Coordinates of all heavy atoms in Angstrom, one line a residue:
L299 N 67.6 45.5 131.3 CA 66.7 44.4 131.7 C 66.6 43.3 130.7 O 65.9 42.3 130.9 CB 65.3 44.9 132.1 CG 65.3 45.8 133.4 CD1 63.9 46.4 133.5 CD2 65.7 45.0 134.6
G300 N 67.3 43.5 129.6 CA 67.3 42.5 128.5 C 66.3 42.6 127.4 O 66.1 41.7 126.6
A301 N 65.7 43.8 127.3 CA 64.6 44.0 126.3 C 65.1 44.0 124.9 O 66.2 44.5 124.6 CB 63.9 45.3 126.6
D302 N 64.4 43.4 124.0 CA 64.6 43.5 122.6 C 63.7 44.5 121.9 O 64.0 45.0 120.8 CB 64.3 42.1 121.9 CG 65.1 41.0 122.5 OD1 66.4 41.2 122.6 OD2 64.5 39.9 122.8
L303 N 62.6 44.9 122.6 CA 61.7 45.9 122.1 C 61.1 46.6 123.3 O 60.7 46.0 124.3 CB 60.6 45.1 121.4 CG 59.5 45.9 120.6 CD1 58.9 45.0 119.5 CD2 58.4 46.4 121.5
A304 N 61.0 47.9 123.2 CA 60.4 48.7 124.3 C 59.2 49.5 123.7 O 59.2 50.0 122.6 CB 61.4 49.8 124.8
L305 N 58.1 49.4 124.5 CA 56.8 50.0 124.0 C 56.3 51.1 125.0 O 56.3 50.8 126.2 CB 55.7 48.9 123.9 CG 54.3 49.4 123.5 CD1 54.4 50.0 122.1 CD2 53.3 48.2 123.5
F306 N 55.9 52.2 124.5 CA 55.4 53.3 125.3 C 53.9 53.2 125.4 O 53.2 52.7 124.6 CB 55.8 54.7 124.7 CG 57.2 55.1 125.0 CD1 58.2 54.6 124.2 CD2 57.5 55.9 126.1 CE1 59.6 55.0 124.4 CE2 58.8 56.2 126.3 CZ 59.9 55.8 125.5
P307 N 53.3 53.9 126.5 CA 51.8 54.1 126.5 C 51.4 55.0 125.4 O 52.2 55.7 124.7 CB 51.6 54.7 127.9 CG 52.9 54.6 128.6 CD 54.0 54.5 127.6
E308 N 50.1 55.2 125.3 CA 49.5 56.0 124.2 C 49.9 57.5 124.3 O 49.9 58.1 125.3 CB 48.0 55.8 124.3 CG 47.2 56.5 123.2 CD 45.7 56.2 123.4 OE1 45.3 55.6 124.4 OE2 44.9 56.6 122.5
M309 N 50.3 58.0 123.1 CA 50.5 59.5 122.9 C 51.5 60.0 124.0 O 51.3 61.0 124.7 CB 49.2 60.2 123.0 CG 49.2 61.5 122.2 SD 47.7 62.5 122.4 CE 46.5 61.5 121.6
W310 N 52.7 59.4 124.1 CA 53.7 59.7 125.1 C 54.2 61.2 124.9 O 54.6 61.8 125.9 CB 54.9 58.7 125.0 CG 56.0 59.1 125.9 CD1 57.2 59.6 125.6 CD2 56.0 59.1 127.3 NE1 58.0 59.9 126.7 CE2 57.3 59.5 127.8 CE3 55.1 58.6 128.3 CZ2 57.6 59.6 129.1 CZ3 55.4 58.7 129.6 CH2 56.7 59.2 130.0
S311 N 54.2 61.7 123.7 CA 54.8 63.0 123.5 C 54.1 64.1 124.4 O 54.8 65.0 124.8 CB 54.7 63.4 122.0 OG 53.4 63.6 121.6
N312 N 52.8 64.0 124.6 CA 52.2 64.9 125.5 C 51.4 64.2 126.7 O 50.6 64.8 127.3 CB 51.3 65.9 124.8 CG 49.9 65.3 124.5 OD1 49.8 64.1 124.4 ND2 48.9 66.2 124.3
G313 N 51.7 62.9 126.9 CA 51.1 62.2 128.0 C 49.6 62.0 127.9 O 48.9 61.8 128.9
Y314 N 49.1 62.0 126.6 CA 47.7 61.9 126.4 C 46.9 62.9 127.2 O 45.8 62.7 127.7 CB 47.2 60.5 126.7 CG 45.8 60.2 126.1 CD1 45.7 59.9 124.7 CD2 44.6 60.3 126.8 CE1 44.5 59.6 124.2 CE2 43.4 60.0 126.3 CZ 43.3 59.7 124.9 OH 42.1 59.5 124.4
H315 N 47.5 64.1 127.4 CA 46.9 65.2 128.2 C 46.0 66.0 127.3 O 46.3 67.1 126.9 CB 48.0 66.0 128.8 CG 47.5 67.1 129.7 ND1 46.4 67.0 130.5 CD2 48.0 68.3 130.0 CE1 46.2 68.1 131.2 NE2 47.2 68.9 130.9
I316 N 44.8 65.5 126.9 CA 43.9 66.2 126.0 C 42.5 66.4 126.6 O 41.8 67.2 126.0 CB 43.7 65.4 124.7 CG1 43.0 64.0 124.9 CG2 45.1 65.1 124.0 CD1 42.7 63.2 123.7
Y317 N 42.3 65.9 127.8 CA 41.0 66.1 128.4 C 41.0 67.3 129.3 O 42.0 67.7 129.9 CB 40.6 64.9 129.3 CG 40.1 63.7 128.4 CD1 41.1 62.7 128.0 CD2 38.8 63.6 128.0 CE1 40.7 61.7 127.2 CE2 38.4 62.5 127.2 CZ 39.3 61.6 126.8 OH 38.9 60.6 126.0
G318 N 39.9 68.0 129.4 CA 39.7 69.2 130.2 C 40.5 70.4 129.8 O 40.8 71.3 130.6
R319 N 40.9 70.4 128.5 CA 41.7 71.5 128.0 C 41.1 72.0 126.7 O 40.4 71.2 126.0 CB 43.2 71.1 127.7 CG 43.9 70.5 128.9 CD 45.2 69.9 128.4 NE 46.1 70.9 127.9 CZ 47.2 70.6 127.1 NH1 47.5 69.4 126.8 NH2 48.0 71.6 126.7
P320 N 41.3 73.3 126.3 CA 40.8 73.8 125.1 C 41.4 73.0 123.9 O 42.6 72.7 123.9 CB 41.2 75.2 125.0 CG 41.4 75.6 126.5 CD 41.9 74.4 127.1
V321 N 40.6 72.6 122.9 CA 41.1 71.8 121.8 C 42.2 72.5 121.1 O 43.2 71.9 120.8 CB 39.9 71.6 120.8 CG1 40.4 71.0 119.5 CG2 38.8 70.8 121.4
E322 N 42.2 73.8 120.9 CA 43.2 74.6 120.3 C 44.6 74.4 121.0 O 45.6 74.4 120.4 CB 42.9 76.0 120.1 CG 41.6 76.3 119.3 CD 40.3 76.0 120.0 OE1 40.4 75.8 121.2 OE2 39.3 76.0 119.3
E323 N 44.5 74.3 122.3 CA 45.7 74.2 123.2 C 46.4 72.9 123.0 O 47.6 72.9 122.7 CB 45.3 74.4 124.6 CG 46.5 74.4 125.6 CD 46.1 74.7 127.0 OE1 45.6 75.8 127.3 OE2 46.1 73.8 127.8
W324 N 45.7 71.8 123.1 CA 46.4 70.5 123.0 C 46.7 70.1 121.6 O 47.7 69.4 121.3 CB 45.6 69.4 123.8 CG 44.3 69.0 123.3 CD1 43.1 69.4 123.8 CD2 43.9 68.1 122.3 NE1 42.0 68.8 123.2 CE2 42.5 68.0 122.2 CE3 44.7 67.3 121.4 CZ2 41.8 67.2 121.3 CZ3 44.0 66.5 120.5 CH2 42.6 66.4 120.4
T325 N 45.9 70.5 120.6 CA 46.2 70.2 119.2 C 47.4 70.9 118.8 O 48.2 70.5 117.9 CB 45.0 70.5 118.3 OG1 44.6 71.8 118.4 CG2 43.8 69.6 118.5
A326 N 47.7 72.1 119.4 CA 48.9 72.8 119.1 C 50.2 72.1 119.5 O 51.3 72.4 119.1 CB 48.9 74.2 119.7

């Protein structure tokens, strides 16, 4: 599409999936 720079949403590696889960699970 002609981009010179591509930007992802926040915390793409795990999709910012940190709510409603045990802290130990998502921090791992």
